[in-house]
Amino acid sequence: MSSPSEMSFSGTDDEPGFAGGLSNPETTQYKLRRQVIDIVNHLMSYGLQHKLDLPGIAVIGSQSVGKSSLIESISGITLPRATGTCT
């Protein structure tokens, strides 16, 4: 895995225009972050969050400011969207 100082924000031939690495599932950044999220989810499925400090996030803000979109972008998971649905 690359250290932060080795990451390029200008893009490469196979990863044009680095955009956080999460918008394109073909990028190395997306794949690496997806693997980390999957590992954390797997550990949580065994209840290990009570024995280990596993990463978690809280997104706080006003209604309709993009909180769900941010979570979708970070996690790569589509959240339910319907009238009256809270995420």
Side-chain angles (χ1 to χ4, degrees), residues 22-83:
L22 294 174
S23 59
N24 181 354
E26 300 302 316
T27 64
T28 302
Q29 288 298 316
Y30 178 96
K31 291 174 184 174
L32 292 173
R33 290 180 184 178
R34 185 72 251 172
Q35 286 177 343
V36 170
I37 292 169
D38 290 343
I39 290 168
V40 169
N41 288 340
H42 189 74
L43 293 171
M44 285 182 171
S45 74
Y46 286 104
L48 293 177
Q49 69 271 23
H50 303 293
K51 298 186 184 278
L52 302 171
D53 282 334
L54 298 175
I57 60 169
V59 180
I60 302 168
S62 300
Q63 184 175 354
S64 300
V65 295
K67 297 179 300 292
S68 294
S69 296
L70 175 65
I71 292 170
E72 286 179 340
S73 177
I74 292 170
S75 68
I77 298 169
T78 301
L79 299 174
R81 295 183 188 264
T83 303

